[in-house]
Amino acid sequence: GNEFYLRKQLHNQLQDMVGNLRVYCRVRPPNDHELQEDGDGPPAVTAADGSNLLVTDASNERAGPKHFEFDVVYSPESSQEDVFRDTEPLMT
């Protein structure tokens, strides 16, 4: 009984310290049509690392990739379990 309320109180204090808004991005794998269209070219969307996303416009080769930063970026290889494991503590 009491442990639940203490845990919730500690969770709320942690949320207040780091902010309540989290932005997660999950990059899906390319579908068959995209694989045929793009061939061996780079994917339009790349999970650069755990918090950065690169978007490349194949029709404008002179422009470099656009960079976006999130709290967490999941690569196409990430599973639904990975996403749930990381977001479950935020669901109260």
Side-chain angles (χ1 to χ4, degrees):
N2 196 25
E3 180 182 346
F4 171 79
Y5 293 108
L6 179 59
R7 185 180 297 226
K8 187 166 180 99
Q9 181 182 18
L10 290 173
H11 173 76
N12 289 339
Q13 287 175 350
L14 177 63
Q15 287 296 95
D16 288 342
M17 288 190 305
V18 297
N20 289 322
L21 182 63
R22 303 281 181 276
V23 181
Y24 292 79
C25 176
R26 184 174 182 193
V27 180
R28 67 168 173 76
N31 61 35
D32 290 339
H33 176 75
E34 292 165 335
L35 289 172
Q36 289 176 355
E37 289 286 318
D38 295 339
D40 292 332
V45 179
T46 305
D49 58 34
S51 62
N52 293 288
L53 183 77
L54 300 176
V55 177
T56 305
D57 182 0
S59 65
N60 187 356
E61 293 181 11
R62 293 187 318 195
K66 292 189 170 132
H67 173 264
F68 298 91
E69 188 171 348
F70 298 89
D71 289 305
V72 178
V73 173
Y74 295 95
S75 71
E77 294 79 26
S78 297
S79 68
Q80 186 67 25
E81 289 78 21
D82 295 333
V83 176
F84 183 75
R85 180 187 62 244
D86 292 347
T87 58
E88 181 180 25
L90 302 174
M91 297 177 214
T92 57

